[in-house]
Amino acid sequence: MKFDIGWASLLWAAAGLPVSRARVTRARMFVESGWGGRRGVIGLSARTLFDALLAELALPAGAKIIMSGVNIQNMFDLARLYGLEIIPVDINPATLAPMPGALLDAQAKSGARICVVAQLYGSVSPLHDASALRERGVFVLEDAAQAFADRSYTGDANADATLFSFGPIKRRTAMGGGVGVFRDRVIAARVEARLASHEMRSESWLRRRAFKYLLLKALTLPPIYGALLQLVRISGNDPEKVIGEAARGFSGPSLAVSIRAQPPGRLVVLMAHQINTAEDASSRQSACLEFLSQLPPEFTRVGEHAERHAYWLLAICCRKPEEALDFLRSHGFDATRGTTSLRAETPGRTPVAARMLESVVYLPHPAGLSAGARRRLISALCDYAGRSELA
């Protein structure tokens, strides 16, 4: 697990001098602008923005909401919190998006007035049905929480709104924060006004959070991380569960209580810095594409045919993921199956999505490995594939 934030930024968040009101105002203006002419609204998280949007849309209890078949559990939970009935639509693992026409079919059968499509693993695929859905009076929300890499992508042109996240394990993390990008400025203003009614999180909240991620970032340094994994295993706990829960942005019994707050000014300034200093993602993409070109056929490339890919994570699928995981870990590689909280909504109605998540393995990111380590990882994958064929 890697946190995409520098040591200096974490130290500033934890122990830097107080930020002036003028600096926060400038940062807010920067974050809210530059989204292809659409209106940006800042929230504590992408979930906070989704919660406020659902409140403003004020759909009646029992109304239908179309959601692509894979998302984090909290997004499904929020839809149900508002009494909405989820109509899940399966996805194509090659694009990580619903097949063209699938959303339109679901809307025609259900009469849904809102549709949420998640862009997964840093990939972006066109929302083929978005324009036609909007013509039917459907509000189309693009959940691009995992897709931000830099401002080269500002959201699907046919969506009514796009959500971006800067949470702890995201690209260009600010340890929290989200941006909603809205086509309709009236809706944007209403969402912003609702968010302004929430209590603001304190500076000390962010400082404590920064100290936590300083510790976690230190623990991910290779020598320390290997020892930590061993200690967790010796204690009888699941390393993926322990580390994953430690890295989560929000926890606790009440999702609504934890997300209904405003980000402190220091977090807004940190978001602006992370967006402004985002480097061109081409080198990261090149490292992944070169690595994937050497992948043995035993493994399937997830999102191979997405229109663009920021490679937030490097996900592959195989027939026996647990066996592959053990093999890679025995060769010293920190592969995992539980880095994200992605879930398939009602697997019986989204069987393709469910099968993908059941077979997925997240590899160490090639961009964070030396050339030698990348070669050794490919060699280990080839060795595993050879053994699997003989089994």
Side-chain angles (χ1 to χ4, degrees), residues 3-329:
F3 296 104
D4 190 24
I5 184 171
W7 291 102
S9 294
L10 274 173
L11 286 167
W12 175 83
L17 294 174
V19 294
S20 68
R21 183 175 298 177
R23 187 177 180 186
V24 174
T25 299
R26 289 194 300 271
R28 181 173 292 276
M29 291 176 63
F30 173 78
V31 173
E32 290 176 345
S33 62
W35 299 102
R38 294 188 294 169
R39 173 77 157 80
V41 176
I42 296 172
L44 182 66
S45 68
R47 284 161 285 182
T48 304
L49 288 152
F50 184 47
D51 174 62
L53 175 62
L54 289 178
E56 289 303 317
L57 292 178
L59 298 173
K64 309 296 195 298
I65 179 172
I66 297 168
M67 300 185 76
S68 53
V70 175
N71 208 319
I72 64 168
Q73 185 62 50
N74 284 171
M75 295 295 279
F76 297 126
D77 293 341
L78 284 169
R80 292 193 176 94
L81 180 67
Y82 282 88
L84 304 180
E85 180 184 341
I86 298 171
I87 308 299
V89 176
D90 218 341
I91 64 171
N92 176 5
T95 62
L96 295 171
M99 296 291 288
L103 299 174
L104 287 172
D105 289 345
Q107 195 280 328
K109 293 174 182 176
S110 66
R113 311 314 305 167
I114 182 170
C115 175
V116 180
V117 181
Q119 305 281 17
L120 303 173
Y121 299 139
S123 70
V124 172
S125 290
L127 305 188
H128 292 289
D129 297 343
S131 181
L133 286 169
R134 291 181 58 246
E135 289 177 1
R136 296 181 183 181
V138 177
F139 190 99
V140 179
L141 176 64
E142 177 188 22
D143 181 356
Q146 300 177 0
F148 183 84
D150 54 43
R151 275 241 172 102
S152 64
Y153 185 70
T154 58
D156 192 286
N158 291 310
D160 287 293
T162 299
L163 301 181
F164 294 102
S165 174
F166 300 88
I169 62 173
K170 301 296 193 304
R171 289 277 289 142
R172 306 309 300 160
T173 177
M175 297 175 294
V179 179
V181 182
F182 292 86
R183 172 190 292 270
D184 186 329
R185 290 178 176 266
V186 174
I187 290 289
R190 286 168 53 190
V191 168
E192 186 173 50
R194 178 170 290 273
L195 295 175
S197 70
H198 296 331
E199 184 178 352
M200 183 176 289
R201 287 285 169 88
S202 66
E203 291 281 315
S204 60
W205 172 83
L206 183 63
R207 291 183 186 275
R208 291 192 301 271
R209 198 172 176 87
F211 274 116
K212 169 185 172 180
Y213 290 108
L214 271 170
L215 175 61
L216 287 173
K217 187 175 175 70
L219 291 175
T220 62
L221 294 172
I224 301 176
Y225 191 64
L228 175 65
L229 288 177
Q230 286 298 109
L231 285 173
V232 172
R233 290 191 187 102
I234 290 171
S235 69
N237 293 304
D238 180 357
E240 291 188 7
K241 183 177 180 181
V242 171
I243 295 167
E245 289 180 353
R248 292 285 171 254
F250 297 97
S251 60
S254 175
L255 172 62
V257 170
S258 66
I259 64 174
R260 288 176 183 166
Q262 295 184 63
R266 181 176 291 270
L267 177 52
V268 176
V269 172
L270 185 56
M271 285 174 63
H273 170 77
Q274 289 293 86
I275 293 171
N276 189 43
T277 57
E279 298 176 352
D280 179 19
S282 59
S283 62
R284 185 181 181 92
Q285 293 164 348
S286 296
C288 287
L289 290 172
E290 180 184 358
F291 180 88
L292 289 169
S293 70
Q294 304 171 67
L295 202 65
E298 165 75 15
F299 301 97
T300 303
R301 295 165 58 173
V302 175
E304 181 177 6
H305 298 302
E307 184 176 82
R308 56 189 289 154
H309 214 310
Y311 291 105
W312 171 56
L313 294 173
L314 189 62
I316 61 172
C317 289
C318 64
R319 288 183 293 116
K320 298 179 180 179
E322 293 292 346
E323 184 180 281
L325 194 68
D326 290 341
F327 187 86
L328 291 173
R329 285 180 172 174

